[in-house]
Amino acid sequence: MKDLERYFSHKAIITLLCKYRIKSAKKKHKYHLLRDISLHKVSMHYFKTKHNCPSDLKELFPSRRQWYRPNLKSRNKFANTQDLNIAALYKTILTTHINVVNKKITPPEWYLKLNKFIYYVQERIKNPDNESIKLPIIVPIKKDDNKHCTVCRPISLYNLEDRVIISLTSKYLTDIFDPYLHNCSYAFRSVKYDVIRTHHDTITEIINYKERIKKGSVWVAECDLKKFFDCVNHELIINIFEKFVQKVEGADLKVSKSAIRIFLQYLNSYTFNNSVFKLNKTPQYFLGYNIPNGQFEWPYDELRHNFYDGNVDTSNIGVPQGGALSCLIANLILHDVDESVDSEPKDSDLLYIRFCDDMVIMHTEKMKCEEALKRYNKKIKSSRLLIHQPEDIVVYNKAFWKTKSKKPYKWTSRTNSGVPWVSFVGYQVRFDGNIRIRKKSLKKEVNKQKKEAQEVLKALSHNVKTQKNINESSRKSKKQQVYALESRLIAMSVGRVKLYNYKSIKPGLCWTNGFKNLNYNIIVKSQLRYLDRQRTVSINNFKRKLKYLTRATENPVIINKTYFGNPFSYHNFSSNLPTQTSIR
């Protein structure tokens, strides 16, 4: 087992910082695109504050023009531009280090600041008591629009030094605790032999289970936790954490005392009831993020009544959303739940799968499925967590998809006597083996397409209703604006593919890569063509609105019907999918 200090080596810290820098560079690239389109002060101030690179991170690296530029052969080795840019930036730093040491050149200022930053981080690991993790900045992210308010999700942003320490400590603790977690848990696991467990594996498990059973119907129960990260009790998670430490040390291994102290400092840096919930009383806070009527929802009364006897304010409740250690906390606090459901002796007809706070239970017998669900609910309650109460599924209709938690229902091919579909982690699996995309995931992707076009139009200060307030200072022609939007939407959907390499290139960071477990069937064919049509609609609507923004010195925008065939369409992705094999 590696020592904690090895997780905080120069290489590990620099690699992590490179990832942060590339991520911010990607956001800044979008800002520059919008800046080139428009110089309107109000809209650009919004985009700049939202997408610009943090100064403390930017000072640790050379300017973008000094980064190593790999040749075409080197570029083809990487699946996506993010990995390529991380490797290029790391090589730039390594080359500078070699030149400073061997050629005795004067070290640049960014190089000195980077080494100073690494030194401070490593010193804090050796002596974590000298400085604690500071309180994070709480940023509201829009989630849902209700009649009375805009429901927001609180995202915690730690300063750069704390963020690095939290992330690498989380990696260390995840690696040493992972052998003691159950195989039914699929989210946020340690990387073993270069194999990463993903949500795709859960669908494979469901398909394999159905193939193995092959005898009639299956009973399925689903349960959804309510405000999971916002309801975690600190005292409870500390007790569970200490039990895991004892398990590790019982196997003649040692858990770093520094890592333990950092874990406790992380918990002390945030509570939902004291850090977040009180912000609901300050409307100016939400207006500062351009969210009028914003609110952070929290089941205060339910927690107080069920677990805290009216003293919820004196307890420490909630862990940060956005901190790496929160992912580990999710697996730790739900470990006892997994152990309770997936009990010994092993029932070969029982399938229990959990991905973070989402779970599904399957069994060939309804009674045993109900018993497993009762064990789950009982352990959830003892963990002081809340669930959406499971409901009986009497008839398969639209209401079925709106129900978050479900008591055991019959998964069968006959809709008059059961339910033909099971929904999990963005997928929906039919009884006969067909797999399709969840409708909510389709809607989310279409909204992302529209949002990209709306942001460009906002940068142009275009008023759709009155067609006034038109900004004439765009640095880009209308054709360039359309091309930039088209390229971005294609990259979001199928990756940065080209006509000459689309058959050989690996899928990168894109939407289709998130659904690689689909099989080709008539439903998926229809869904992917729907996404292609909606993307075309977004681009054509964008062109139509640009027609009113044409300057006198520029030719009007010609609105042609846009269709992106192979390799740029969602539907082209289906050519790589396996053909559906029926399960009987």
Side-chain angles (χ1 to χ4, degrees), residues 26-164:
K26 185 178 179 181
K27 293 179 180 179
K28 193 173 183 181
H29 172 74
K30 184 177 179 180
Y31 158 68
H32 282 306
L33 169 67
L34 297 171
R35 182 206 64 183
D36 289 345
I37 289 174
S38 173
L39 295 178
H40 191 269
K41 292 181 180 180
V42 176
S43 60
M44 282 302 99
H45 171 73
Y46 167 74
F47 287 114
K48 188 171 183 179
T49 54
K50 189 176 180 182
H51 299 296
N52 207 1
C53 177
S55 58
D56 55 347
L57 178 60
K58 190 175 181 180
E59 290 173 355
L60 305 180
F61 295 98
S63 65
R64 184 68 178 87
R65 293 180 180 179
Q66 295 176 336
W67 293 8
Y68 168 74
R69 296 181 181 276
N71 55 32
L72 183 60
K73 187 177 180 180
S74 299
R75 287 173 176 268
N76 291 334
K77 295 179 181 179
F78 295 91
N80 54 70
T81 54
Q82 180 169 305
D83 292 343
L84 170 67
N85 287 329
I86 290 172
L89 180 54
Y90 186 85
K91 186 170 183 177
T92 305
I93 296 169
L94 184 62
T95 303
T96 304
H97 174 70
I98 293 172
N99 291 336
V100 170
V101 174
N102 296 337
K103 297 183 180 180
K104 308 297 183 183
I105 66 169
T106 303
E109 187 177 354
W110 66 264
Y111 177 83
L112 296 174
K113 289 182 178 180
L114 177 60
N115 279 285
K116 187 177 180 181
F117 179 88
I118 294 172
Y119 171 78
Y120 281 138
V121 168
Q122 291 175 337
E123 282 298 307
R124 279 187 61 180
I125 293 305
K126 294 175 184 176
N127 303 291
D129 290 334
N130 292 347
E131 188 175 347
S132 297
I133 292 175
K134 297 179 179 61
L135 298 176
I137 298 172
I138 308 299
V139 177
I141 303 297
K142 288 183 181 180
K143 186 180 178 183
D144 297 311
D145 286 322
N146 290 343
K147 292 181 179 179
H148 306 292
C149 66
T150 301
V151 179
C152 298
R153 178 182 285 111
I155 301 299
S156 300
L157 299 182
Y158 288 88
N159 66 54
L160 184 60
E161 196 173 305
D162 287 343
R163 189 179 173 192
V164 170

Side-chain angles (χ1 to χ4, degrees), residues 148-153 277 279-281 286 291-297:
H148 306 292
C149 66
T150 301
V151 179
C152 298
R153 178 182 285 111
F277 197 48
L279 295 174
N280 288 337
K281 298 179 181 178
F286 292 97
I291 305 177
N293 247 352
Q295 288 283 303
F296 294 121
E297 280 191 341

